[in-house]
């Protein structure tokens, strides 16, 4: 995930999606590129064509916050895309270091006792901790029961790998396409924040090689913020279940996120979640 390539492909993809009329410019029929021309973006951002061309070639190093904000306005970036552009610029300022994938830490991360206690104290819904690569690093019993398919391999479960490489995910996620889009959004945002992450580099390479669905989405360079929402699952034991979720950044562990699922009180999904919790407790007792 070379920083220059990331910058170039992101800016080109954002420029291509904006019709001239949407930017207040005449459309016409003699356009050889989709969306805006470089010269039009430069004019909208009030920079020279040469300077914008330099940015779009992937050279964000040294670009001022005012210039980046002007480019973001010209390309009509939303908040998540603007943050992604700023992360790419920050990485570009340290490109020589960040271009080399980092070595993995020799010691596997493990949750401190109070975090696991916190997760175990959440008994009404699945709760887990994940990193920017969507590895599940810690969870309560109900999360393990909900995502039982992810834990079948025995290694650290990864939601992106399960989403795109395990056929069971298409049965498990009732809305597979939006779930796949969200997964790639999260990985793309992480690539902007942390382009030297060796584990992320390897994961993206694996998924790009083995999944056409992933490769197409990754090439779109879409970035979205996902902090809350609704997901529908088809669980093999309790059937279809609809859960809301909240994602919370962990102040004590930068880069990690705590996700908690809940069901609407009194709903059929709440009853099925209680049934899953009861089954989980019974299985633990039998062991």
């Amino acid at each position: 995930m070379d920083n220059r390539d990331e910058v170039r492909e992101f800016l080109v993809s954002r420029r291509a999606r904006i019709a001239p009329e949407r930017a207040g410019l005449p459309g016409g029929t003699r356009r050889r590129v989709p969306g805006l021309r470089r010269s039009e973006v430069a004019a909208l951002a009030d920079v020279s064509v040469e300077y914008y061309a330099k940015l779009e070639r992937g050279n964000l190093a040294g670009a001022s916050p005012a210039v980046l904000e002007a480019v973001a306005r010209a390309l009509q970036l939303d908040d998540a895309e603007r943050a992604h552009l700023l992360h790419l610029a920050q990485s570009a300022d340290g490109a020589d270091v960040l271009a080399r994938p980092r070595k993995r830490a020799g010691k596997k991360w493990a949750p401190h006792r109070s975090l696991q206690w916190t997760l175990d104290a959440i008994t009404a819904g699945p709760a887990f901790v994940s990193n920017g690569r969507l590895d599940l690093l810690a969870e309560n019993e109900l999360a393990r029961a909900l995502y039982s398919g992810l834990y079948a391999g025995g290694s650290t479960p990864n939601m992106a790998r399960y989403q795109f490489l395990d056929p069971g995910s298409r049965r498990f996620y009732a809305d597979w396409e939006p779930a796949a889009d969200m997964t790639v959004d999260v990985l793309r945002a992480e690539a902007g924040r942390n382009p030297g992450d060796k584990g992320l580099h390897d994961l993206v390479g694996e998924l790009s090689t083995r999944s056409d669905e992933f490769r197409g989405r990754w090439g779109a360079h879409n970035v979205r913020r996902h902090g809350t929402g609704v997901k529908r699952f088809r669980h093999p034991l309790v059937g279809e279940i609809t859960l809301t979720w909240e994602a919370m950044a962990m102040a004590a562990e930068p880069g990690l996120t705590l996700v908690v699922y809940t069901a609407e009180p009194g709903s059929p999904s709440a009853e099925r979640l209680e049934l899953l919790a009861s089954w989980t407790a019974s299985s633990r007792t039998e062991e």
Side-chain angles (χ1 to χ4, degrees), residues 15 53 55 69 90 103 108 117 131 135 140 142 159 182 203 227 239-240 247 256 259 262 277 281:
R15 175 164 62 87
L55 297 180
E69 183 59 32
Q90 291 165 0
K103 294 180 180 179
K108 183 180 178 181
W117 294 340
N131 58 20
D135 295 323
N140 65 4
L142 203 45
M159 301 183 81
M182 184 184 304
L203 177 63
E240 186 167 308
L256 302 188
V259 179
T262 55

Side-chain angles (χ1 to χ4, degrees), residues 89-224:
Q90 291 165 0
S91 298
D93 286 330
D96 290 341
V97 175
L98 293 170
R100 297 189 298 271
R102 295 185 192 129
K103 294 180 180 179
R104 293 185 182 87
K107 185 177 180 181
K108 183 180 178 181
W109 182 89
H112 48 84
R113 292 189 302 166
S114 60
L115 173 57
Q116 190 60 59
W117 294 340
T118 300
L119 291 169
D120 292 340
I122 301 173
T123 57
F128 60 86
V129 172
S130 64
N131 58 20
R133 298 189 299 271
L134 295 177
D135 295 323
L136 269 62
L137 303 177
E139 68 286 313
N140 65 4
E141 289 188 344
L142 203 45
R144 184 176 285 269
L146 176 66
Y147 282 107
S148 57
L150 273 79
Y151 292 90
S155 58
T156 300
N158 179 271
M159 301 183 81
R161 190 174 285 112
Y162 176 73
Q163 178 86 50
F164 289 101
L165 301 184
D166 192 324
S169 72
R170 291 185 177 271
R171 296 187 297 272
F172 180 63
Y173 293 112
D175 304 299
W176 190 91
E177 295 284 344
D181 292 341
M182 184 184 304
T183 295
V184 177
D185 289 346
V186 172
L187 294 183
R188 176 59 74 182
E190 180 67 8
R193 286 190 298 266
N194 198 6
D197 186 318
K198 172 64 174 172
L200 179 61
H201 183 275
D202 292 348
L203 177 63
V204 169
E206 177 188 1
L207 296 178
S208 297
T209 301
R210 299 177 60 188
S211 170
D212 292 339
E213 293 274 14
F214 177 85
R215 187 164 54 251
R217 286 173 168 81
W218 186 255
H221 284 264
N222 291 328
V223 181
R224 297 288 183 272

Side-chain angles (χ1 to χ4, degrees), residues 40-55:
E40 292 169 332
V41 176
L44 291 169
D46 197 23
V47 298
S48 70
V49 176
E50 293 77 12
Y51 186 74
Y52 179 73
K54 172 187 171 183
L55 297 180

